[in-house]
């Protein structure tokens, strides 16, 4: 079984979680010209076999975010959902508040990155500050796998990671 997690946005991430063999593949959202590169994204989505369920963080406007930034974020979010739909991957949306509460997190992306490093140690995939999108995508994939199995209280799936 394969689970996909998506942290939307231009600086977001994509994670493929394989609980059976313990692997995790993470990617930055592919972009071109400051927008999501849907063609490359569709190619990535097709490289990891049949995906049981994708979990996508639900987009929302952020306080103090400008109109232009909000628009760009919305366009990226729509592009990601469209690519998943085009690839015929079933998906569920989850609000940031819900999945972060599951892990005891708040809005601090550094704490999300630190948790991902602790849960999936030894690969340096989350070592850079800018890897918070990858880290949150991995956490979202793990949360989605638990939710899909109707057991969100169960412990985290422990995995080893592989990079693109």
């Amino acid at each position: 079984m394969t689970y996909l997690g998506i942290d939307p946005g231009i600086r977001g991430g994509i994670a493929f979680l394989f609980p059976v063999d313990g692997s995790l593949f993470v990617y930055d959202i592919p972009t071109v010209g400051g927008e999501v590169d849907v063609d490359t994204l569709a190619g990535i989505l097709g490289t990891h076999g049949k995906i049981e369920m994708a979990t996508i963080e639900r987009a929302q406007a952020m306080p103090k975010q400008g109109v232009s930034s909000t628009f760009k974020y919305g366009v990226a979010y729509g592009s990601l959902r469209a690519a998943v739909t085009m690839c015929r991957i079933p998906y569920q949306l989850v609000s940031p508040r819900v999945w972060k509460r599951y892990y005891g997190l708040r809005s601090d992306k550094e704490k999300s990155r630190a948790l991902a490093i602790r849960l999936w140690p030894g690969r340096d995939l989350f070592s850079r500050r800018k890897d918070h999108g990858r880290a949150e995508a991995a956490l979202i994939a793990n949360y989605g796998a638990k939710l899909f199995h109707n057991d969100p209280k169960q412990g985290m799936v422990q995995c080893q990671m592989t990079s693109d």
Side-chain angles (χ1 to χ4, degrees), residues 23-85:
S23 59
L24 176 72
F25 293 81
V26 295
Y27 301 85
D28 295 324
I29 298 287
T31 61
V32 62
E35 294 186 359
V36 174
D37 182 349
V38 177
D39 188 47
T40 299
L41 176 61
I44 292 169
L45 294 176
T47 62
H48 294 287
K50 183 181 182 316
I51 299 168
E52 288 295 316
M53 177 63 66
T55 303
I56 304 171
E57 183 181 80
R58 184 183 303 275
Q60 61 188 31
M62 302 299 290
K64 301 179 183 176
Q65 189 174 28
V67 175
S68 179
S69 296
T70 301
F71 183 78
K72 281 182 80 169
Y73 180 69
V75 169
Y77 175 69
S79 297
L80 293 164
R81 284 183 63 180
V84 168
T85 300

Side-chain angles (χ1 to χ4, degrees), residues 2-5 51-55 89-92 141 144-145 148:
T2 306
Y3 298 95
L4 173 65
I51 299 168
E52 288 295 316
M53 177 63 66
T55 303
I89 300 169
Y91 70 89
Q92 57 195 355
F148 186 71

Side-chain angles (χ1 to χ4, degrees), residues 84-142:
V84 168
T85 300
M86 285 178 7
C87 292
R88 301 186 188 281
I89 300 169
Y91 70 89
Q92 57 195 355
L93 301 174
V94 62
S95 74
R97 183 180 305 164
V98 170
W99 76 261
K100 287 183 179 195
R101 185 181 318 132
Y102 174 75
Y103 294 105
L105 297 169
R106 295 196 178 198
S107 61
D108 186 350
K109 292 186 178 289
E110 273 302 294
K111 290 188 178 181
S112 296
R113 192 171 69 86
L115 177 60
I117 289 169
R118 285 193 307 274
L119 292 176
W120 296 288
R123 292 295 183 123
D124 293 335
L125 290 178
F126 308 124
S127 61
R128 304 170 302 169
R129 287 184 62 91
K130 71 178 191 173
D131 290 335
H132 59 79
R134 289 178 171 195
E136 291 199 343
L139 295 171
I140 292 166
N142 189 70

